[in-house]
Amino acid sequence: DQQKQQQHHHQNNTSSSCPFSSSSTTTSFQESGNTDNIIPSTTTMTKSDRTQIINNVSHILHTLLVAGYETTAISLSYTMYCLSKHPRCQDRACEEARRVLPTLDDNTKFDEDALPYCKAVIMETLRVHTPVIFTTRVSSKDLTLDTDDDGGMVTIPKDTRFVIHPTMVHLDERNFDRAEE
């Protein structure tokens, strides 16, 4: 009897219902103009629908969090590794940090330019040990590129998708002197 009252309440008062309520009635769906984008049009849905939504949102959040934390963790790990392999650089970075950081208090805005050597160490570590395997871009216009010293040319049409491997770019001697050091 109580369940019938709750179902009746959900059917008649959907504006105040939570989409994750415990009702087991089936939701209706409304297409929003895009056939790939079907959204609930009422606030009641099946337990299976709720579970699927929660799983999808959890997966998206997990991806965002792990991607952010993992790349930061990898970058910091490589920075510590590189500094351990180059004691002179480690000493210089420590000296700069010890000199600048004690002058900061809770009311001081941190200025990354106050630590130019530490910033350079981090940027160089990111160049040599890129935490991202690849990235993609799409050309916004036709591109004509010189392919060699003999004047060979290639045209890449607008809207071409590129897969870029940053490590290949970062370790190429044409882009950086002593690229692999």
Side-chain angles (χ1 to χ4, degrees):
D1 190 41
Q2 186 178 6
Q3 187 177 10
K4 285 182 183 179
Q5 287 177 349
Q6 287 177 344
Q7 286 176 350
H8 179 75
H9 174 75
H10 284 292
Q11 290 168 353
N12 293 330
N13 190 11
T14 59
S15 63
S16 65
S17 299
C18 173
F20 301 108
S21 66
S22 62
S23 171
S24 62
T25 59
T26 305
T27 186
S28 63
F29 289 91
Q30 169 186 352
E31 292 187 27
S32 63
N34 178 352
T35 57
D36 296 329
N37 186 15
I38 298 174
I39 57 172
S41 64
T42 66
T43 57
T44 58
M45 60 183 66
T46 66
K47 185 173 182 174
S48 174
D49 291 336
R50 286 191 308 277
T51 301
Q52 183 178 3
I53 289 171
I54 291 169
N55 287 341
N56 289 343
V57 170
S58 295
H59 179 72
I60 291 167
L61 290 174
H62 181 264
T63 300
L64 291 172
L65 291 173
V66 168
Y69 287 120
E70 286 301 309
T71 55
T72 301
I74 289 168
S75 298
L76 289 173
S77 295
Y78 271 121
T79 300
M80 296 300 109
Y81 171 76
C82 290
L83 286 172
S84 74
K85 293 300 229 175
H86 301 280
R88 184 182 58 80
C89 297
Q90 181 180 9
D91 291 344
R92 184 170 170 189
C94 284
E95 184 279 321
E96 182 179 77
R98 285 185 184 124
R99 181 175 36 82
V100 172
L101 295 178
T103 64
L104 299 177
D105 60 28
D106 290 342
N107 298 322
T108 305
K109 183 179 178 197
F110 177 71
D111 179 14
E112 68 182 50
D113 294 330
L115 296 166
Y117 190 77
C118 291
K119 182 178 179 181
V121 165
I122 292 169
M123 297 305 289
E124 185 65 5
T125 300
L126 289 172
R127 183 186 71 80
V128 176
H129 301 285
T130 306
V132 177
I133 297 171
F134 70 90
T135 185
T136 60
R137 296 290 186 267
V138 176
S139 60
S140 61
K141 61 182 180 178
D142 289 350
L143 301 170
T144 301
L145 303 173
D146 183 359
T147 60
D148 57 30
D149 294 332
D150 297 330
M153 304 296 272
V154 65
T155 299
I156 300 169
K158 177 183 177 183
D159 296 325
T160 299
R161 181 173 299 277
F162 292 89
V163 176
I164 302 166
H165 187 343
T167 301
M168 289 179 66
V169 174
H170 295 167
L171 299 181
D172 190 323
E173 296 283 339
R174 294 173 294 179
N175 299 320
F176 296 94
D177 293 335
R178 303 179 339 221
E180 294 196 34
E181 288 183 28

